[in-house]
């Protein structure tokens, strides 16, 4: 008879439900052996609980699972909604970034396109669900015609053959003709760059540079002392320059020049009263130190910088001065600036302008500043220096230069007709026979824009203004009395080739034709056009700044993508569009590489001169300075920086790189097309070009 183990098993399970308790069973008959049982056999194990569940328990389990599914879907929708909100804030509304109200509507177009695409996708999904419930999914509807595979293949084949025929007969010839025209312009501009580089090498080899004979500032020469220190007027135009006004005024006030032969004009166009008070206090501080400095403020900012300079030159006391030096608000001239520039005017009555070179304090701030340094170094050391040596003419840079006031007056003075008043006065002075001198070894510290948005606005003004000026001054150039060679240089090289042709062919060839060759292989560009010549030209551009050689690939892509902005600006200036009259002050950061530039003035203002300022000031000035001190003590709340994504530029640069690689591989016999990948990339670029315009 088998032993009964039910009670023992239950007793063992109650003691330890996880592990069975060993049970020793002793049988009375000796023919049975002693058996040690660690746990019940499979036949004696309890039945699973799920087998005994009733309908109510199953319902609760299903409800629990449904609750979890709904919670998961809700969480996914919440995450998707938060992601869309983040994209909307960062790419469209840009929270934390101050923008004009009119620019907001431009960014909504792309978001609307994305919204339409999303709604279309949802509609297709709803249609699929309805089709499923209608029975179309199982092809149970006899009235529904379902195309066979042969029909689809035949239709697609016919469509593809029609596309190939249309592409070869109509699209490819147009692209080839336009590409040949742009290649010719590209070669002409490349030859011009090479000639400028050879001219720069010749200047270096022959050591050609403007020199001053003797030492015009010898102390033992008393007879010519009056001429050696002529009357010089220094102008500092600014507008809402909170970050840089102090260092600029301090640097100019420390220029080594007799104080009775020097007058400093601070031309403030600021519309912020707190900034006006700060600038007034800085002017008052240096005035108390004995510096001949005045503060001027216009109530109406007409004509922008040109109107500001024109208003300052209309003062009666300006007639007592012979030269005028101009410095923008972020420029910090060295104390010997006037002694290195003004003597060039001596015994040279035809000289109207002496231009110094810019030197940047923030070239290593980020990749954008490094790429800007490449272009600006080439501009000053190659373009300006070669034109100054061989032609005695170049475009005035608007700052860090000294003008003969007589040259300004005979050329018509400052005009408010364009946003490039510096180039305007330079062209008119050149037409009147005045010569220019560029000093490559005299450098003035300044800043380059550190943000891409500020750089784009600056480039828009620099490329729309010349085209606007070209329309206005072309009749004057043709009817002027200068030589035919100078007229041709001014029209063909200075304006057309370097200001119009360059952005046109760069945009058309590298931003339109090159991406199209991915889809139209019949219009393949030569390898030397998309690779060898651009790399060679980039190497020539980097020669004046050899430390920038590691950035040659980003520089190539950067220049090609920036051609979109430059082309847009060129068209707006050529056809007198509304954006060609925009003037937005370039944002500065207030960087300073010379630590001792302001140290002496700061120490003096905190010690011995503080009492002098208040003792020599009137009650109204004292109250104004006290009010100013309160403004300076107010700490502005930190502005949260937003990592803005410039999709158009990044996508276009990536597309150009992809097109170049594909063309190179095709030239080597590797013919393959990432059709899906290229199509999606091209679609994104097209949507972004149509959509948001980040001005």
């Amino acid at each position: 008879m088998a032993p009964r183990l039910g009670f023992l098993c239950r007793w063992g399970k109650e003691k330890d439900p996880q592990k069975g308790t060993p049970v020793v069973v002793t049988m009375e008959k000796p023919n049975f052996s002693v058996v040690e049982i660690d746990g019940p056999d499979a036949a004696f194990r309890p039945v699973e609980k799920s087998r005994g569940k009733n309908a109510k328990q199953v319902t609760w389990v299903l409800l629990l699972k449904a609750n979890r599914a709904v919670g998961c879907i809700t969480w996914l929708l919440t995450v998707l909604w938060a992601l869309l909100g983040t994209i909307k804030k960062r790419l469209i509304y840009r929270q934390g970034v101050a923008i004009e109200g009119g620019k907001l509507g431009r960014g909504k177009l792309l978001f609307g396109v994305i919204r339409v695409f999303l709604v279309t996708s949802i509609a297709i999904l709803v249609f699929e669900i309805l089709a499923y419930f209608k029975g179309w999914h199982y092809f149970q509807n006899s009235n529904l015609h379902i195309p066979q595979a042969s029909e689809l293949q035949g239709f697609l084949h016919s469509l593809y053959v029609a596309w190939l025929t249309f592409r070869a007969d109509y699209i490819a010839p147009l692209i080839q003709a336009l590409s040949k025209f742009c290649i010719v312009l590209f070669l002409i501009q490349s030859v011009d760059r090479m000639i400028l580089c050879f001219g720069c090498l010749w200047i270096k080899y022959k050591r050609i540079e403007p020199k001053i004979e003797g030492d015009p500032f010898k102390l033992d020469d008393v007879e010519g002392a009056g001429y050696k220190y002529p009357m010089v007027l220094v102008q500092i135009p600014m507008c809402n320059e909170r970050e840089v006004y102090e260092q600029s005024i301090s640097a100019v006030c420390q220029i080594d020049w007799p104080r009775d032969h020097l007058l400093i004009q601070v031309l403030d166009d600021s519309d912020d009263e707190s900034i006006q008070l700060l600038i007034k206090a800085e002017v008052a501080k240096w005035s108390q130190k004995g510096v001949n400095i005045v503060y001027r403020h216009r109530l109406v900012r007409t004509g922008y910088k040109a109107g500001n300079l024109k208003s300052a030159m209309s003062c009666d006391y300006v007639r007592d001065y012979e030269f005028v030096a101009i410095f923008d608000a972020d420029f910090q001239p060295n104390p010997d600036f006037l002694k290195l520039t003004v003597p060039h005017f001596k015994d040279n009555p035809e000289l109207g302008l002496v231009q110094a070179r810019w030197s940047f304090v923030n070239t290593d701030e980020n990749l954008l500043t490094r790429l800007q340094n490449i272009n600006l170094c080439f501009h000053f050391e190659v373009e300006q220096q070669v034109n100054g040596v061989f032609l005695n003419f170049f475009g005035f840079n608007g700052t860090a230069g000294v003008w003969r006031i007589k040259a300004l007056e005979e050329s018509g003075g400052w005009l408010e007709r364009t946003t490039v008043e510096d180039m305007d006065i330079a062209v008119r002075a050149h037409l009147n026979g005045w010569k220019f001198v560029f000093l490559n070894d005299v450098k003035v510290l300044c800043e380059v824009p550190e943000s891409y948005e500020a750089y784009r606005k600056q480039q828009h003004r620099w490329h729309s203004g010349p085209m606007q000026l070209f329309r206005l001054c072309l009749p004057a150039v043709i009817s002027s009395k200068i030589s035919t060679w100078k007229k041709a240089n001014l029209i063909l090289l200075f304006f057309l080739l370097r200001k119009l042709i360059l952005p046109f062919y760069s945009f058309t060839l590298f931003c339109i034709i090159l991406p199209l060759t991915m889809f139209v292989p019949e219009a393949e560009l030569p390898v030397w056009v998309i690779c060898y010549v651009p790399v060679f030209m980039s190497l020539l551009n980097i020669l004046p700044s050899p430390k920038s050689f590691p950035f040659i690939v980003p520089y190539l892509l950067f220049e090609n993508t920036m051609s979109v902005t430059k082309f847009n600006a060129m068209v707006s200036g050529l056809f007198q569009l509304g954006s060609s009259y925009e003037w937005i002050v370039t944002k500065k950061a207030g960087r300073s590489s010379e630590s001792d530039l302001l140290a002496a003035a700061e120490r003096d203002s905190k010690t011995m001169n503080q009492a002098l300022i208040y003792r020599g000031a009137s009650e109204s000035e004292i109250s104004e300075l006290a009010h100013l001190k309160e403004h300076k003590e107010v700490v502005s709340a930190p502005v949260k920086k937003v990592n803005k994504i410039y999709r158009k530029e990044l996508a276009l640069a990536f597309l150009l790189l992809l097109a170049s690689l594909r063309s190179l591989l095709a030239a080597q016999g590797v013919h393959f097309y990432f059709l899906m990948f290229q199509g999606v990339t091209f679609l994104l670029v097209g949507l972004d070009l149509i959509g948001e315009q980040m001005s």
Side-chain angles (χ1 to χ4, degrees):
M1 183 178 178
R4 296 181 179 179
L5 301 177
F7 173 78
L8 297 176
C9 289
R10 286 195 299 269
W11 175 78
K13 190 174 182 180
E14 289 176 359
K15 282 191 70 175
D16 191 354
Q18 296 181 353
K19 183 178 180 182
T21 304
V23 179
V24 180
V25 181
T26 304
M27 308 302 296
E28 295 179 357
K29 294 181 180 182
N31 57 351
F32 285 95
S33 61
V34 178
V35 181
E36 183 177 355
I37 302 175
D38 292 334
D41 294 336
F44 298 98
R45 289 176 185 173
V47 183
E48 295 180 2
K49 293 183 178 180
S50 59
R51 298 180 182 177
K53 290 180 179 177
N54 53 23
K56 187 175 182 180
Q57 290 176 333
V58 173
T59 304
W60 279 107
V61 170
L62 293 177
L63 289 176
L64 180 60
K65 290 183 178 180
N67 185 32
R68 290 178 179 176
V70 172
C72 182
I73 295 175
T74 306
W75 179 80
L76 290 176
L77 291 177
T78 304
V79 172
L80 180 61
W81 185 260
L83 181 61
L84 291 177
T86 303
I87 295 174
K88 185 176 181 180
K89 293 176 183 177
R90 180 167 292 186
L91 299 182
I92 305 300
Y93 295 106
R94 304 185 189 180
Q95 288 188 355
V97 181
I99 60 175
E100 296 83 354
K103 307 296 182 183
L104 188 61
R106 298 181 178 180
K108 291 183 178 180
L109 180 58
L110 179 62
F111 191 71
V113 173
I114 297 174
R115 188 180 300 171
V116 170
F117 179 77
L118 181 61
V119 171
T120 305
S121 302
I122 295 175
I124 294 175
L125 178 61
V126 172
F127 174 78
E128 291 289 339
I129 295 174
L130 293 176
Y132 177 81
F133 285 107
K134 287 287 185 179
W136 298 348
H137 180 73
Y138 296 99
F139 306 107
Q140 296 176 357
N141 192 345
S142 59
N143 297 326
L144 181 64
H145 174 70
I146 301 176
Q148 300 296 324
S150 58
E151 297 179 11
L152 292 176
Q153 291 176 359
F155 174 75
L156 293 176
H157 182 266
S158 302
L159 184 63
Y160 182 66
V161 171
W163 158 246
L164 291 180
T165 306
F166 179 79
R167 186 180 70 184
D169 294 341
Y170 298 99
I171 299 179
L174 293 177
I175 297 178
Q176 288 177 347
L178 184 60
S179 63
K180 291 179 181 179
F181 178 69
C182 292
I183 289 173
V184 172
L185 298 180
F186 180 36
L187 293 178
I188 294 175
Q189 197 269 340
S190 300
V191 171
D192 176 63
R193 286 292 178 98
M194 291 181 61
I195 293 175
L196 289 176
C197 291
F198 284 134
C200 182
L201 293 176
W202 180 259
I203 292 173
K204 297 292 183 183
Y205 176 72
K206 291 293 185 178
R207 296 182 180 180
I208 303 173
E209 58 182 8
K211 296 181 180 179
I212 303 173
E213 297 182 0
D215 187 3
F217 300 104
K218 287 184 178 180
L219 298 177
D220 55 354
D221 190 359
V222 182
E223 294 181 358
Y227 178 77
K228 291 173 184 176
Y229 288 100
M231 302 292 288
V232 178
L233 176 68
V234 180
Q235 296 177 335
I236 312 176
M238 59 180 61
C239 179
N240 296 326
E241 306 283 1
R242 183 187 295 272
E243 295 81 9
V244 295
Y245 78 93
E246 188 174 0
Q247 62 188 28
S248 176
I249 295 175
S250 176
V252 171
C253 290
Q254 296 181 64
I255 290 180
D256 186 11
W257 200 259
R259 294 187 175 181
D260 56 343
H261 287 70
L262 181 68
L263 174 63
I264 301 173
Q265 285 183 323
V266 179
L267 311 177
D268 183 25
D269 267 1
S270 303
D271 53 5
D272 191 338
E273 294 184 0
S274 62
I275 300 178
Q276 296 176 22
L277 290 174
L278 292 173
I279 298 176
K280 285 181 182 179
E282 188 69 17
V283 171
K285 180 181 72 175
W286 288 101
S287 179
Q288 292 295 333
K289 293 182 179 181
V291 178
N292 193 11
I293 183 172
V294 295
Y295 173 85
R296 284 180 54 86
H297 178 263
R298 297 191 304 162
L299 297 178
V300 181
R301 191 185 173 221
T302 57
Y304 303 111
K305 182 180 177 181
N308 198 0
L309 295 174
K310 181 179 179 180
S311 174
M313 294 298 294
S314 64
C315 297
D316 295 336
Y317 54 79
V318 173
R319 67 185 64 178
D320 299 330
Y321 293 85
E322 187 177 357
F323 304 102
V324 54
I326 303 173
F327 299 100
D328 284 347
D330 60 318
F331 279 72
Q332 308 168 39
N334 292 327
D336 59 349
F337 176 81
L338 292 180
K339 289 188 175 181
L340 296 175
T341 55
V342 174
H344 288 275
F345 290 96
K346 183 182 180 181
D347 301 328
N348 194 358
E350 296 181 351
L351 183 60
L353 168 67
V354 175
Q355 174 71 60
R357 180 177 175 174
W358 298 0
S359 180
F360 311 106
V361 300
N362 58 341
T363 53
D364 298 329
E365 185 65 25
N366 51 44
L367 180 60
L368 177 62
T369 58
R370 291 187 177 96
L371 298 180
Q372 291 180 73
N373 182 57
I374 296 175
N375 280 334
L376 292 173
C377 285
F378 183 86
H379 170 71
F380 285 107
E381 192 159 345
V382 179
E383 291 181 346
Q384 298 287 77
Q385 187 172 209
V386 171
N387 291 329
V389 170
F390 295 103
L391 300 176
N392 296 121
F393 166 72
F394 48 83
F396 175 47
N397 297 118
T399 178
V402 181
W403 276 95
R404 190 189 296 270
I405 295 181
K406 182 180 178 181
L408 291 177
E409 294 175 349
E410 290 185 356
S411 302
W414 299 103
L415 298 181
E416 307 170 5
R417 56 182 182 175
T418 66
T419 56
V420 284
E421 74 294 329
D422 45 5
M423 185 181 293
D424 187 3
I425 188 62
V427 170
R428 287 185 281 115
H430 179 60
L431 296 179
N432 281 274
W434 292 98
K435 296 181 179 180
F436 302 163
V437 167
F438 178 77
L439 303 179
N440 190 53
D441 55 342
V442 180
K443 301 179 180 180
V444 181
L445 294 176
C446 63
E447 292 184 19
V448 290
E450 297 182 4
S451 67
Y452 182 69
E453 215 163 328
Y455 176 70
R456 285 192 59 176
K457 295 174 183 177
Q458 182 193 72
Q459 291 299 306
H460 186 275
R461 187 175 75 249
W462 286 5
H463 286 82
S464 65
M467 287 296 95
Q468 188 180 4
L469 177 63
F470 177 67
R471 288 173 52 97
L472 296 174
C473 69
L474 182 60
V477 173
I478 296 175
S479 61
S480 63
K481 298 179 180 180
I482 60 177
S483 62
T484 305
W485 158 247
K486 291 184 177 180
K487 290 182 181 179
N489 172 72
L490 199 60
I491 296 175
L492 298 179
L493 296 181
F494 186 76
F495 279 111
L496 291 182
L497 182 61
R498 298 167 188 169
K499 301 298 188 296
L500 188 146
I501 293 177
L502 176 59
F504 170 77
Y505 89 78
S506 181
F507 170 74
T508 306
L509 185 62
F510 294 105
C511 297
I512 295 181
I513 297 178
L514 181 58
L516 285 178
T517 57
M518 295 191 300
F519 304 96
V520 187
E522 293 85 356
E524 194 73 38
L525 289 175
V527 180
W528 58 271
V529 173
I530 62 176
C531 181
Y532 301 141
V533 176
V535 171
F536 179 70
M537 290 294 104
S538 298
L539 289 175
L540 292 181
N541 289 351
I542 292 179
L543 282 180
S545 55
K547 293 182 180 180
S548 303
F549 180 78
F551 306 102
I552 182 171
V553 174
Y555 175 73
L556 271 170
L557 295 175
F558 177 74
E559 283 300 298
N560 289 330
T561 53
M562 278 304 300
S563 62
V564 179
T565 299
K566 296 176 181 179
F567 179 80
N568 182 24
M570 182 267 293
V571 171
S572 67
L574 188 62
F575 295 99
Q576 300 288 335
L577 302 180
S579 59
S580 62
Y581 295 94
E582 291 181 354
W583 180 290
I584 300 175
V585 178
T586 305
K587 185 70 175 177
K588 286 97 175 177
R591 309 261 181 205
S592 178
S593 62
E594 298 291 338
S595 59
D596 59 342
L597 190 61
L598 302 175
E602 191 67 23
R603 287 194 300 267
D604 293 341
S605 63
K606 288 183 178 180
T607 56
M608 57 185 304
N609 289 320
Q610 188 66 30
L612 181 62
I613 292 177
Y614 282 94
R615 185 166 57 248
S618 62
E619 294 182 359
S620 59
E621 291 175 343
I622 292 175
S623 60
E624 186 176 355
L625 289 175
H627 181 59
L628 169 66
K629 189 175 181 180
E630 295 177 358
H631 275 278
K632 296 182 73 172
E633 290 177 353
V634 173
V635 180
S636 59
V639 179
K640 182 180 179 181
K641 293 184 179 180
V642 176
N643 297 323
K644 290 171 287 185
I645 303 174
Y646 296 95
R647 302 182 313 279
K648 181 175 70 177
E649 285 74 13
L650 292 176
L652 183 57
F654 187 72
L655 180 64
L656 296 181
L657 182 61
L658 181 65
S660 301
L661 292 176
R662 196 209 65 82
S663 299
L664 290 175
L665 293 173
Q668 300 298 326
V670 183
H671 298 280
F672 59 91
Y673 300 92
F674 300 97
L675 289 179
M676 183 64 70
F677 183 66
Q678 293 175 354
V680 172
T681 307
F682 193 77
L683 179 62
L684 290 176
V685 175
L687 287 176
D688 212 45
L689 288 174
I690 296 173
E692 183 177 6
Q693 298 292 327
M694 299 181 181
S695 300

